[in-house]
């Protein structure tokens, strides 16, 4: 319970800067509940977690120089996101051929994000901010220092090329959260059901459950579970940077460690909370994402 409450405190601290009045109210109610239920020491620990999370949320590495070296971690048709020394940058590059994991050196000028937002339109700047991207890099020259030998995007495209456009949009969305547009996908989006066309944790969890069941018919629980985790870890590579898939695989691994090497030393709630803390420590912007 201590780990769970500290995780909630740290999470609240991370989101305070983005919706300050709402989450201050929630934080006060949360602290009052903890004080009444668990008394003063636990309330002070949770207050410390909120303060720690709040301070950590202000960490946004930013610097200016003539060239930036780093790794491509998100790609779209006309742009890619680039991590250089911990700073995440938006790079416009129409029709580029870069892939996930490519190590680049980019010479150019860094500027603040600036996108036109139409009334009732999609706020692309806010979308990028929630992913920790606050600046754009206007490239003058891009040099590929190292090509990722696993061409993730090319492998996705090759797998989806076997389907027609309608099938591709459904299969690609469910497997990789990127299947293009079709009449079916547009209809589901209009009905606010687009979440069902996504590589969601629900699909992955059900698949892991079914695979575990089949493997346990022939293998010991310990071996069946580690095979399931290993297969999902391979699939995880092709869903980068989809966090919901990583979350499922990471949680399965933590549960396996707790169940077998640690002999169920921690409860399920403690395992989930510990995993959440690790994820937020690596990337506090995850607190702003639905998954």
């Amino acid at each position: 319970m201590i780990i769970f409450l500290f995780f909630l405190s740290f999470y609240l601290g991370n989101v305070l800067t983005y919706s300050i009045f709402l989450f201050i109210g929630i934080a006060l109610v949360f602290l009052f509940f903890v004080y009444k239920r668990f008394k003063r020491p636990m309330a002070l620990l949770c207050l410390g977690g909120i303060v720690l999370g709040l301070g950590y949320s202000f960490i946004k590495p930013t610097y200016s120089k003539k060239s930036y070296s780093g790794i491509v971690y998100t790609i779209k048709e006309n742009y890619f996101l680039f991590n250089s020394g911990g700073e995440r940058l938006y790079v416009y590059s129409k029709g580029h051929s870069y892939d996930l994991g490519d190590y680049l050196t980019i010479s150019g000028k860094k500027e603040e994000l600036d996108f036109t937002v139409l009334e009732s339109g999609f706020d692309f700047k806010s979308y990028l901010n929630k992913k920790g991207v606050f600046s754009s890099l206007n490239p003058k020259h891009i040099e590929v220092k190292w090509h990722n030998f696993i061409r993730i995007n090319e492998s996705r495209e090759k797998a989806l090329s076997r389907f027609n456009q309608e099938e591709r949009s459904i299969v690609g969305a469910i497997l990789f959260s990127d299947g293009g547009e079709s009449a079916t996908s547009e209809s589901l989006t209009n009905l606010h059901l687009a979440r069902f066309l996504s590589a969601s944790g629900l699909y992955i969890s059900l698949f892991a459950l079914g695979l575990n069941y089949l493997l346990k018919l022939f293998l010991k629980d310990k071996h069946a579970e580690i095979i399931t985790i290993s297969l999902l870890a391979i699939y995880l590579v092709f869903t980068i940077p989809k966090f919901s898939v990583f979350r499922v695989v990471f949680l399965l691994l933590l549960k396996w460690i707790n169940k077998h090497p640690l002999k169920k030393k921690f409860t399920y709630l403690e395992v989930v909370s510990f995993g959440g803390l690790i994820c937020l420590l690596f990337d506090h912007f995850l607190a702003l994402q639905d998954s």
Side-chain angles (χ1 to χ4, degrees):
M1 183 58 71
I2 294 176
I3 300 175
F4 173 64
L5 291 175
F6 187 78
F7 164 67
L8 287 180
S9 304
F10 190 76
Y11 170 82
L12 284 172
N14 271 267
V15 297
L16 275 175
T17 53
Y18 299 96
S19 186
I20 188 163
F21 295 110
L22 173 63
F23 282 96
I24 281 180
I26 294 175
L28 290 175
V29 172
F30 172 70
L31 288 173
F32 179 75
F33 166 77
V34 173
Y35 177 76
K36 286 294 186 181
R37 179 67 177 81
F38 301 99
K39 305 305 178 184
R40 186 176 179 180
M42 184 63 76
L44 290 175
L45 176 66
C46 291
L47 178 60
I50 291 175
V51 173
L52 183 64
L54 180 61
Y56 191 57
S57 69
F58 282 99
I59 298 177
K60 301 179 180 72
T62 179
Y63 42 83
S64 295
K65 51 186 180 179
K66 293 182 179 180
S67 64
Y68 300 79
S69 296
I71 294 177
V72 176
Y73 69 92
T74 297
I75 56 170
K76 298 295 181 181
E77 184 178 354
N78 293 324
Y79 74 89
F80 60 87
L81 301 182
F82 175 72
N83 190 313
S84 176
E87 183 176 18
R88 305 173 188 184
L89 300 165
Y90 165 89
V91 183
Y92 178 78
S93 181
K94 190 172 183 179
H96 66 84
S97 59
Y98 307 115
D99 210 328
L100 295 166
D102 286 348
Y103 187 82
L104 312 177
T105 295
I106 304 176
S107 301
K109 183 180 179 182
K110 187 176 73 172
E111 299 176 343
E112 289 188 8
L113 293 174
D114 184 21
F115 299 100
T116 301
V117 181
L118 301 176
E119 185 177 356
S120 300
F122 177 65
D123 190 342
F124 189 49
K125 180 179 178 181
S126 176
Y127 168 78
L128 290 175
N129 286 167
K130 289 182 179 181
K131 291 184 174 292
V133 181
F134 298 92
S135 302
S136 63
L137 185 58
N138 299 320
K140 293 182 179 178
H141 176 70
I142 301 178
E143 181 182 357
V144 180
K145 292 291 187 179
W146 181 76
H147 271 297
N148 181 10
F149 65 93
I150 303 176
R151 307 307 290 170
I152 297 174
N153 192 54
E154 291 179 11
S155 299
R156 290 177 184 171
E157 292 298 322
K158 185 177 180 180
L160 295 175
S161 64
R162 304 171 184 271
F163 303 96
N164 60 42
Q165 183 59 35
E166 187 72 20
E167 294 169 339
R168 173 193 171 94
S169 68
I170 305 299
V171 176
I174 292 175
L175 290 180
F176 310 121
S177 296
D178 185 16
E181 297 181 357
S182 69
T184 302
S185 62
E186 186 176 347
S187 297
L188 289 173
T189 300
N190 292 335
L191 292 171
H192 302 285
L193 298 175
R195 185 174 296 275
F196 291 102
L197 286 180
S198 175
S200 69
L202 175 63
Y203 298 145
I204 308 305
S205 297
L206 289 175
F207 173 78
L209 187 65
L211 184 59
N212 255 334
Y213 176 79
L214 292 175
L215 290 175
K216 286 178 181 179
L217 296 176
F218 308 98
L219 302 170
K220 293 182 179 180
D221 288 4
K222 181 178 181 179
H223 298 145
E225 290 164 5
I226 200 63
I227 290 174
T228 298
I229 294 171
S230 300
L231 292 176
L232 287 178
I234 295 172
Y235 168 63
L236 172 64
V237 173
F238 296 94
T239 62
I240 294 173
K242 186 72 174 178
F243 176 70
S244 60
V245 180
F246 172 81
R247 185 194 69 229
V248 173
V249 177
F250 185 51
L251 182 57
L252 286 174
L253 178 60
L254 290 179
K255 287 169 62 179
W256 185 87
I257 293 173
N258 182 56
K259 181 179 178 181
H260 299 290
L262 299 181
K263 306 300 181 184
K264 295 186 178 180
K265 183 177 181 180
F266 301 100
T267 66
Y268 176 75
L269 187 60
E270 289 174 325
V271 171
V272 173
S273 302
F274 184 67
L277 280 170
I278 293 176
C279 291
L280 287 177
L281 285 171
F282 273 97
D283 182 6
H284 59 272
F285 293 103
L286 291 173
L288 305 175
Q289 298 183 28
D290 293 341
S291 59

